[in-house]
Amino acid sequence: MQRPSTKSYFLKTFGCQMNVYDSERMTESLTRDGYSETAEIADADLVILNTCHIREKAAEKVYSDLGRIRDMKDARKRDGKDTVIAVTGCVAQAEGREITTRQPAVDLVIGPQSYHRLPELIARVGNTRERIVETEFPGDEKFDRMSAPRRVVSPSAFLTVQEGCDKFCTFCVVPYTRGAEFSRPLAKIENEARELIAAGARELVLLGQNVNAYHGEGHSGRSIGLAELIRRLADIDGLERIRYTTSHPRDMDDDLIAAHGEVPQLMPFLHLPIQSGSDRMLAAMNRKHKTGEYIDIIDRIRSARPDIALSSDFIVGFPGETADEAEDTLKLVAAVGFAQAYSFKYSPRPGTPASSLGDQVPDEVKSERLQRLQALLEDQQTEFNQRSLGATVPVLFERKGRQPGEFVGRTPHLQLVHAVADGDIVGRTMGVTVTEARRASLSGVIASA
Ligand code: SAH
Ligand code: SF4
Ligand code: F3S
């Protein structure tokens, strides 16, 4: 076999959109440094696992992957080739040196706030063969120093505007893995938005662990909120659609609700996690909001934007959750009506307050509650999609589909749509008449450009 002339890397991403964004930025910086991507771990001089610590399953998957990658590294060694293994992301931050103890083949452990040091750290490993763990929180340097040009991979591009979380929900690792809340300044976000649009993005998804807590520096030096940021970005030519995720009910202010009624580019979709329909559970989770306040936000956002599609996150089987309290979550779902949602069994995470609570709910009870909740949410999703039957909706096409001539895009309500076209329509927004509605997607016929 011939050796590749440039160094190649293999990168696998776990977890949320913020990790996807970070992986894109790492890809860009590696490309600038002369690396090329490979889909085969066996060909990679550098393997990066960008990891997630949110639930036990996600974190454990990393170690089983690392076992296989170690074997690959040993095999390459026998052929005289070196492999650098790097673990980045939230497991890196949470477990640090423990990772190299559990899997000594790992060379580099880098927390989410230190990716700008990636090239330098890789070089250090190469020169000294030392194992490096870098999990400091150096503040806001990362974005400024990851300065490789943005290259768009899809007409819908992620743009991180806020990171970290100060909320400390008792079940959640994010405040420990991503650190304190930090908002990027408007000017930097505008520059990156323009770069992304120039490179072909038509939609920007503004990201943050608590994106609606955004309070970055505006042009006058005073701080601005997410609504103002959205209004400024809406002024940029060529930007057709704006979305944001994930929001906390506590930070859903009047200005942001008003923006949903006023900014045409802001899509009628809101992902607003509630976690539970029981006020006692919400208090135990330290969510800082009650169900009544959540319903009130939903009412106000529906007045501002009557066609808004709603999404949420739910946790079943939080410690101490009774059958009645699980039922309260079903009632809340029935009362609100969601277009889609994510639901999870509570997973105790090391170091979080809830993991040491008594009264942990047995797994089979969690499974049963999850099943009932998911059945209801799936019915609501199917019903929501069926309401689009016969309608002609604007679809921004993002990629080719699996069938010949097929393309896949999204409606303003984030529904996935399949349609067949003659030419390449990736990046174009076209009217599609919906002919089929399933739980997770729609099919239709292109009606107009
Ligand atoms: N910042 C967002 C969500 C971050 S994590 C928010 O506040 O809503 C995404 C989702 O994972 C959470 O909304 C929650 O539903 C789920 N989650 C977080 N920790 C969990 C845990 N320990 N067990 C199960 N689900 C969890
Ligand atoms: Fe986690 Fe709560 Fe922060 Fe969301 S708001 S990231 S669930 S601590
Ligand atoms: Fe996972 Fe970290 Fe995102 S724990 S969900 S990758 S912020």
Side-chain angles (χ1 to χ4, degrees), residues 8 72 85-86 110 165 187 255 263 338 406:
S8 59
M72 215 80 92
I85 303 180
I110 314 178
C165 179
D255 198 19
V263 180
F338 291 97
E406 187 189 57

Side-chain angles (χ1 to χ4, degrees), residues 118-179:
L118 190 63
E120 165 211 340
L121 296 175
I122 294 170
R124 232 168 82 193
V125 170
N127 293 334
T128 63
R129 302 310 306 168
E130 67 176 311
R131 274 195 214 114
I132 302 167
V133 177
E134 181 56 66
T135 51
E136 293 300 302
F137 286 121
D140 53 349
E141 274 177 63
K142 162 170 118 176
F143 292 103
D144 285 349
R145 295 189 33 206
M146 302 242 299
S147 54
R150 301 298 332 260
R151 47 151 229 199
V152 158
V153 284
S154 161
S156 174
F158 290 143
L159 203 180
T160 295
V161 302
Q162 180 277 333
E163 262 211 89
C165 179
D166 297 339
K167 298 279 191 306
F168 291 92
C169 300
T170 54
F171 51 81
C172 184
V173 295
V174 171
Y176 313 98
T177 63
R178 294 274 170 170

Side-chain angles (χ1 to χ4, degrees), residues 54-55 165 169 171-174 208-210 246-248 271 273 275 287 313-315 342 344-349:
I54 202 83
R55 283 168 291 275
C165 179
C169 300
F171 51 81
C172 184
V173 295
V174 171
Q209 268 91 19
N210 260 282
T246 296
S247 297
H248 192 285
H271 179 67
Q275 315 297 355
R287 282 292 292 181
D313 291 346
F314 298 91
I315 294 178
Y342 301 90
F344 313 98
K345 288 197 254 186
Y346 168 69
S347 171
R349 308 304 295 128

Side-chain angles (χ1 to χ4, degrees), residues 215-228:
H215 55 276
E217 186 189 326
H219 291 316
S220 66
R222 76 178 170 87
S223 111
I224 62 166
L226 182 63
E228 181 66 15

Side-chain angles (χ1 to χ4, degrees), residues 24-289:
E24 286 173 7
R25 305 282 331 235
M26 285 191 267
T27 296
E28 289 157 357
S29 106
L30 289 167
T31 307
R32 185 187 51 187
D33 293 350
Y35 279 85
S36 60
E37 190 162 10
T38 169
E40 296 298 330
I41 298 181
D43 296 339
D45 305 294
L46 169 67
V47 178
I48 303 176
L49 297 187
N50 194 13
T51 62
C52 173
H53 202 245
I54 202 83
R55 283 168 291 275
E56 192 182 354
K57 238 192 215 157
E60 283 308 311
K61 181 85 179 47
V62 172
Y63 287 100
S64 57
D65 279 11
L66 282 175
R68 276 197 303 278
I69 295 165
R70 182 221 27 225
D71 295 345
M72 215 80 92
K73 178 173 178 163
D74 290 346
R76 281 171 53 89
K77 185 99 209 159
R78 288 194 288 275
D79 292 344
K81 295 181 208 158
D82 278 334
T83 314
V84 172
I85 303 180
V87 177
T88 63
C90 290
V91 176
Q93 188 64 40
E95 298 186 2
R97 194 158 293 282
E98 209 181 308
I99 298 176
T100 55
T101 309
R102 256 181 93 173
Q103 183 45 269
V106 172
D107 301 281
L108 256 177
V109 176
I110 314 178
Q113 303 311 330
S114 304
Y115 297 149
H116 53 284
R117 300 195 52 206
L118 190 63
E120 165 211 340
L121 296 175
I122 294 170
R124 232 168 82 193
V125 170
N127 293 334
T128 63
R129 302 310 306 168
E130 67 176 311
R131 274 195 214 114
I132 302 167
V133 177
E134 181 56 66
T135 51
E136 293 300 302
F137 286 121
D140 53 349
E141 274 177 63
K142 162 170 118 176
F143 292 103
D144 285 349
R145 295 189 33 206
M146 302 242 299
S147 54
R150 301 298 332 260
R151 47 151 229 199
V152 158
V153 284
S154 161
S156 174
F158 290 143
L159 203 180
T160 295
V161 302
Q162 180 277 333
E163 262 211 89
C165 179
D166 297 339
K167 298 279 191 306
F168 291 92
C169 300
T170 54
F171 51 81
C172 184
V173 295
V174 171
Y176 313 98
T177 63
R178 294 274 170 170
E181 258 177 33
F182 160 77
S183 297
R184 298 176 67 192
L186 170 63
K188 302 242 166 83
I189 296 170
E190 282 179 328
N191 283 343
E192 192 171 328
R194 286 197 194 93
E195 260 182 58
L196 287 165
I197 294 161
R202 294 292 161 262
E203 169 176 288
L204 293 179
V205 185
L206 310 180
L207 300 181
Q209 268 91 19
N210 260 282
V211 72
N212 61 341
Y214 176 85
H215 55 276
E217 186 189 326
H219 291 316
S220 66
R222 76 178 170 87
S223 111
I224 62 166
L226 182 63
E228 181 66 15
L229 171 65
I230 289 169
R231 291 192 168 97
R232 294 285 68 80
L233 293 177
D235 286 341
I236 301 180
D237 279 344
L239 181 56
E240 292 175 26
R241 293 180 168 193
I242 302 173
R243 303 182 187 276
Y244 62 91
T245 200
T246 296
S247 297
H248 192 285
R250 193 57 185 264
D251 299 311
M252 208 61 221
D253 65 19
D254 291 340
D255 198 19
L256 185 54
I257 292 176
H260 273 280
E262 293 164 7
V263 180
Q265 293 94 329
L266 183 57
M267 291 292 103
F269 184 92
L270 175 64
H271 179 67
L272 193 63
I274 181 166
Q275 315 297 355
S276 167
S278 150
D279 283 337
R280 196 183 74 93
M281 283 296 104
L282 292 179
M285 291 173 171
N286 190 31
R287 282 292 292 181
K288 308 177 205 297
H289 60 80

